[in-house]
Amino acid sequence: MDFGLVLQTDPPASQVVSLMKRAERNGFRYGWTFDSAVLWQEPFVIYSQILANTRKLHIGPMVTNPGTRTWEVTASTFATLNDMYGNRTVCGIGRGDSAMRVAGRAPNTLARLGEAIDVIRDLAEGREALVDGNPIRIPWIKEGRLPVWMAAYGPKALALAGQKADGFILQLADLYLTEWMVKAVRAAAKEAGRDPDAITICVAAPAYVGDDLAHARDQCRWFGGMVGNHVADLVTRYGEHSDMVPEALTDYIKARKGYDYSHHGRACNPSTDFVPDEIVDRFCLLGPAEAHIEKLRALRDLGVDQFAVYDMHDARETVIDAYGAQIIPALAG
C-alpha cells in the first residue's frame, strides 16, 4: 500500500514544502493539495518547489476541476512540471466544490468532466485533442505521462471514473462504503472493456494518531461536513431514500443546515456541528497506531492501493512521524 499526504496551501508556502519533505523522509510516496484559488494559495506554483526539494514524491491536486482553468493550460502546466522534474505528477480531478462555489459558479457537469479527463491527459502526453472544437497539440512535449485520477461519490460519477480515469479517489475511509464504491467503479470499467484491476484506488481521509479520541474527533469533525456537501448534492439529485445511493452515506446529513466555505477543511469548523461521533469514526482513522494499522489492512483487503492522509489538524508533524515510524512499515509490500 502506498501513502500520500494531503495539505491545504495555506501561507507560508515554505511550510507546505517543509511538510512534504518531511512526508517523503517518512516513507510517503505522494503529496497532494487542495485546489481552490480563492481560499488558498495557487498550488501549481508551490508544486514546483515541492518537486525541487524532494527526490521521488509524486505531486498533484486533490482535486482540480475542468472549470477554473482552461484544459490546455492545465495540461501544459502538468507537462512543464514533468519536463522539469521527471514524470512525477498526478492529476486528481472532480466536478469542483469549493473552487467553483466560492467563485459563484455551479460544479461542472459529469459530461464536461469526462471530456476534460480525455483532453487533459491527451494534451499532457503529447497527443492531439479537440479543445472547443479546435484540434490542439502541444509540440514540445516528449515522453510525457499524466495519470488522471477522478474523485467521485454518486453512481453516475463512479461509473464515469470506471470508464475514463486511471485512478479513483474516494474521500472517506468507511469500510462498507469503500467496498460498495470500489465495486461500482470496477464494474463500470469492466463494462467499458477496460481492465478493472488497472485502476488505482486511493482512499483519502483525516488521520489522527493518539489515545484521546474525543480530541481527535473534534479535530477531524470538519471532514464529515466537507463530505456532506457532496452527499447533499446526491440527495438533491437522487432523493433522500434512493436505491442508487446507500443510506449509510446519506442519513447523517439530515441535521445539516448549510455550510460556510470560509472554514472549509479546517478543524473546529462551526458548520459541522451536525456530524456525529459515529460518522467521524467511520470516515476517519483515529486512535493509537494499532487501530490505524487494523483499518488500513481492511482497506487494503478491499482493493485500496493508496491511503492519503488529510493532515489538517493540530498534530500535523506528529501524524507524519507516527505514520513513518509505525504505520507505513506495517503496511509495506
Side-chain angles (χ1 to χ4, degrees), residues 99-291:
M100 298 296 287
R101 287 181 164 126
V102 168
R105 306 184 186 104
N108 297 271
T109 65
L110 288 176
R112 179 175 173 82
L113 175 56
E115 184 182 358
I117 288 172
D118 289 336
V119 169
I120 290 169
R121 185 199 290 118
D122 283 344
L123 290 177
E125 294 185 347
R127 295 184 294 276
E128 183 178 285
L130 289 177
V131 179
D132 296 329
N134 299 308
I136 293 175
R137 187 178 72 84
I138 303 175
W140 52 263
I141 295 176
K142 308 296 181 185
E143 299 180 357
R145 184 176 182 274
L146 183 66
V148 181
W149 297 7
M150 180 182 155
Y153 290 108
K156 292 182 180 179
L158 294 169
L160 181 62
Q163 294 157 7
K164 298 270 188 181
D166 302 298
F168 164 49
I169 297 172
L170 173 57
Q171 291 162 310
L172 54 80
D174 178 79
L175 297 178
Y176 170 78
L177 292 170
T178 297
E179 182 177 19
W180 182 79
M181 293 184 185
V182 169
K183 284 182 178 178
V185 169
R186 287 184 167 157
K190 184 176 182 180
E191 187 173 343
R194 306 179 69 203
D195 178 2
D197 294 328
I199 299 175
T200 302
I201 307 297
C202 174
V203 161
Y208 200 103
V209 182
D211 295 324
D212 188 343
L213 278 177
H215 181 73
R217 287 169 179 146
D218 287 343
Q219 287 292 303
C220 298
R221 198 174 306 276
W222 62 266
F223 184 65
M226 187 184 85
V227 174
N229 293 331
H230 302 286
V231 176
D233 286 345
L234 295 178
V235 170
T236 299
R237 188 173 297 113
Y238 296 105
E240 187 173 336
H241 301 289
S242 170
D243 293 337
M244 301 285 284
V245 184
E247 289 188 7
L249 182 61
T250 60
D251 275 354
Y252 85 99
I253 68 161
K254 292 176 180 177
R256 182 179 182 270
K257 298 179 180 178
Y259 191 81
D260 182 355
Y261 278 94
S262 66
H263 304 285
H264 188 58
R266 301 192 184 279
C268 304
N269 185 336
S271 299
T272 60
D273 291 345
F274 70 94
V275 180
D277 288 349
E278 177 197 1
I279 288 293
V280 183
D281 291 347
R282 283 170 46 197
F283 284 12
C284 305
L285 273 73
L286 311 175
E290 294 76 16

Side-chain angles (χ1 to χ4, degrees), residues 57-106:
L57 203 66
H58 286 69
I59 297 297
M62 189 176 280
V63 293
T64 193
N65 71 85
T68 52
R69 295 177 177 85
T70 59
W71 302 349
E72 69 274 18
V73 169
T74 299
S76 182
T77 303
F78 277 112
T80 301
L81 292 170
N82 283 337
D83 188 62
M84 293 171 68
Y85 302 107
N87 289 324
R88 291 168 54 199
T89 66
V90 182
C91 177
I93 195 167
R95 293 178 60 230
D97 179 33
S98 63
M100 298 296 287
R101 287 181 164 126
V102 168
R105 306 184 186 104

